[in-house]
Amino acid sequence: AEARGAPGCRRGGALHREGSRNATSCSRCDCPAGWLGADCSVCNSTAACPPKEGAPAAECNRRLLPSREELTAGGKRLACSCGGDPISDAECQLQPETYMLLELVGEGGGDGNGSASFSLRASEQAGVPDLPGEIFRYADPRVWNATFTGCEANEGPCQPPLKGRCVFYSCADGSVACP
């Protein structure tokens, strides 16, 4: 994982390593206080967030719908891990330690009703064995990276089997790359 540069720990984080044949290593960083996400790039505390243009961070939030202010002030970063409901929990056991990072950055424009268009950069990492040797030569925690453009976010009813309200991102164009 380190040789491939993933996940690229930030903010003083260190690559999580277990030195085992289990696929539980190298997909995330062990983060310092105030930071989370696979690469320690998501602020979890306003005290940890760096100031923007000399002003301290106003808030750290878990909203999935980006505000216009967030998009125009450098973007919004989100981090999530696989699981959270009985169906995905079972699927997540097939590829443990799976994490997703999303970065939403404003593109300008919008629909004239206060909805801004944005670019969405996404990356997924998953655990790999952390052992030397030929058998693990191609083990890579990077699953895929993508850049989508002309995106908009909306909230609505979740698709079954999920319940409640969900956020949907729709994008006009994009490209996906696998390692």
Side-chain angles (χ1 to χ4, degrees):
E2 288 174 309
R4 299 190 192 296
C9 302
R10 299 180 183 192
R11 312 285 184 200
L15 189 65
H16 178 80
R17 303 179 82 152
E18 293 184 13
S20 67
R21 286 184 169 266
N22 295 327
T24 56
S25 289
C26 303
S27 65
R28 63 179 169 87
C29 302
D30 293 320
C31 301
W35 297 95
L36 52 82
D39 67 350
C40 304
S41 66
V42 177
C43 172
N44 195 30
S45 155
T46 55
C49 294
K52 291 207 184 229
E53 299 176 9
E59 67 176 329
C60 291
N61 66 63
R62 296 178 186 254
R63 290 189 307 265
L64 299 177
L65 278 172
S67 69
R68 180 177 283 282
E69 292 77 22
E70 288 172 320
L71 292 175
T72 58
K76 179 174 185 67
R77 292 185 69 86
L78 302 167
C80 57
S81 58
C82 190
D85 64 271
I87 291 174
S88 64
D89 284 345
E91 294 295 322
C92 295
Q93 294 306 310
L94 299 174
Q95 188 167 12
E97 295 287 312
T98 299
Y99 298 93
M100 178 80 77
L101 288 170
L102 302 174
E103 184 175 12
L104 292 64
V105 179
E107 295 177 330
D111 64 7
N113 294 318
S115 175
S117 64
F118 56 90
S119 294
L120 189 154
R121 290 187 286 259
S123 65
E124 181 181 352
Q125 290 84 231
V128 295
D130 182 27
L131 293 172
E134 187 64 25
I135 191 171
F136 301 113
R137 181 176 176 189
Y138 298 104
D140 193 329
R142 299 172 298 173
V143 177
W144 57 270
N145 294 308
T147 300
F148 301 101
T149 57
C151 301
E152 293 183 356
N154 297 294
E155 186 176 321
C158 296
Q159 299 294 314
L162 301 177
K163 298 175 181 167
R165 308 277 300 161
C166 288
V167 172
F168 300 92
Y169 299 110
S170 58
C171 304
D173 197 12
S175 64
V176 178
C178 298

